Amino acid sequence: VLITAPGCVEAPPDDQQVRLHGTSGQLSRVTVVLVDLSHSFYARYRERVLAAMAADIDSASRSPFGQHARLVICQLSGNSNAVLWEGEFRDFRKRYGTPQSFECWIESQVTGNDKATSPVYRSIADSVRYALETPGVQADTAIDVLVHSDLIDTVPQTQQKAADISDLLSVLRE
């Protein structure tokens, strides 16, 4: 079944995804926005999730960190590639300038996922590691992690994963 919506921005092919790993210079901020695209969460809270994500991205883009900030959008549902998009805030606004185009883009990401699984803790850990390993991240780089999820992990060994994510997040406090 193919569903299209008028006014949607076509997602770039996988080989053309925006990746800024390799950017030179120190970053002052990396904002990681994670969204649970599993059916159990996203289908139920879709409108609230979209509004909250848009507000988070808009708020972070207006911060005083300026040009030395990066936005990373990641998914928490069953997909081998957690990172959906990475780039500068201005590039995100240019590409997805309206709420409708942003909504269409997120909807296009939902269709390719295993909607039955939700490896929340693994995806959060992978996304935080990705942000920490971004060239330009230094000890004084601010890293914001904004999670839109019910935090129900459907993958076994959740307790160990929760401990792992707690250890990883403690790195951000230091």
Side-chain angles (χ1 to χ4, degrees):
V1 175
L2 175 65
I3 300 173
T4 60
C8 286
V9 174
E10 184 178 331
D14 288 338
D15 63 336
Q16 293 180 8
Q17 291 292 325
V18 176
R19 303 288 171 172
L20 291 179
H21 270 30
T23 299
S24 61
Q26 182 176 348
L27 294 174
S28 53
R29 169 176 272 172
V30 177
T31 299
V32 181
V33 179
L34 297 111
V35 60
D36 188 339
L37 295 179
S38 67
H39 183 71
S40 63
F41 177 75
Y42 187 75
R44 180 179 290 159
Y45 300 107
R46 179 182 166 278
E47 289 184 22
R48 282 194 273 180
V49 168
L50 290 169
M53 284 183 66
D56 285 348
I57 292 168
D58 183 61
S59 175
S61 72
R62 296 179 193 289
S63 77
F65 287 93
Q67 296 178 346
H68 303 289
R70 295 287 180 265
L71 171 64
V72 181
I73 300 176
C74 300
Q75 61 184 320
L76 299 177
S77 54
N79 190 307
S80 60
N81 186 14
V83 178
L84 296 173
W85 194 90
E86 178 185 356
E88 293 183 20
F89 285 96
R90 70 172 181 232
D91 295 333
F92 185 83
R93 281 192 305 274
K94 189 184 310 178
R95 182 158 182 93
Y96 309 106
T98 66
Q100 295 80 10
S101 64
F102 176 66
E103 181 177 330
C104 288
W105 174 70
I106 287 291
E107 293 292 324
S108 75
Q109 304 306 308
V110 174
T111 59
N113 290 322
D114 176 358
K115 298 175 202 167
T117 62
S118 189
V120 171
Y121 297 111
R122 185 199 77 212
S123 297
I124 292 172
D126 290 349
S127 300
V128 171
R129 277 189 205 96
Y130 185 88
L132 290 170
E133 293 170 358
T134 300
V137 169
Q138 312 242 332
D140 61 343
T141 300
I143 298 182
D144 302 325
V145 180
L146 310 168
V147 180
H148 300 276
S149 174
D150 55 11
L151 298 178
I152 297 173
D153 194 313
T154 60
V155 179
Q157 302 170 340
T158 299
Q159 292 301 327
Q160 180 58 43
K161 292 177 183 159
D164 291 346
I165 193 70
S166 178
D167 292 344
L168 183 61
L169 291 175
S170 71
V171 170
L172 297 178
R173 283 191 295 241
E174 297 174 355

